[in-house]
């Protein structure tokens, strides 16, 4: 199971906007496949899957603005779950505010 997080891009970038999800929960994904489009005030880029598996959960909807390190999604095997994600994201959001 893998948590997909907003990557550190630059010291001046503190958040990104989720422009679009290209896959939905339940979709099978391959390593390197584009999952989402993200934008910053400086650039747009693709978020790629680090591994093959199933996109299990999405934790940031399209047009959401989320900080660096926010957990965007979960990839794993069908039936896997990570109940710690909501609390982890809440802590990240509290630090961001």
């Amino acid at each position: 199971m893998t948590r997909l997080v907003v990557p550190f891009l630059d010291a001046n970038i503190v958040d990104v906007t989720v422009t679009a999800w290209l896959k939905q929960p339940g979709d099978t994904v391959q390593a390197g496949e584009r999952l989402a489009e993200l934008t910053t005030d400086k650039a747009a880029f693709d978020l790629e899957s680090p591994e093959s598996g199933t996109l299990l959960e999405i934790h940031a909807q399209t047009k959401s603005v989320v900080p660096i390190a926010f957990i965007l999604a979960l990839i794993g095997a069908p039936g896997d779950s990570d109940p710690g994600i909501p609390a982890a994201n809440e802590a990240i959001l509290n630090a961001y505010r």
Side-chain angles (χ1 to χ4, degrees):
M1 206 169 23
T2 299
R3 291 176 170 185
L4 264 143
V5 301
V6 177
F8 174 80
L9 303 166
D10 180 273
N12 296 321
I13 297 173
V14 297
D15 57 33
V16 302
T17 300
V18 179
T19 308
W21 281 100
L22 307 174
K23 295 288 186 174
Q24 296 302 313
D27 289 350
T28 300
V29 298
Q30 301 300 316
E33 187 173 4
R34 296 173 53 220
L35 300 178
E37 296 171 353
L38 307 177
T39 57
T40 69
D41 59 343
K42 298 180 183 201
F45 64 98
D46 293 329
L47 180 68
E48 296 180 355
S49 178
E51 66 179 45
S52 296
T54 299
L55 181 59
L56 300 172
E57 303 169 0
I58 290 176
H59 293 277
Q61 298 307 313
T62 300
K63 298 186 181 178
S64 296
V65 177
V66 293
I68 301 304
F70 190 88
I71 303 163
L72 294 169
L74 183 66
I75 295 175
D80 285 349
S81 67
D82 187 339
I85 290 176
N89 276 346
E90 188 62 31
I92 292 165
L93 287 172
N94 286 338
Y96 170 70
R97 295 178 188 139

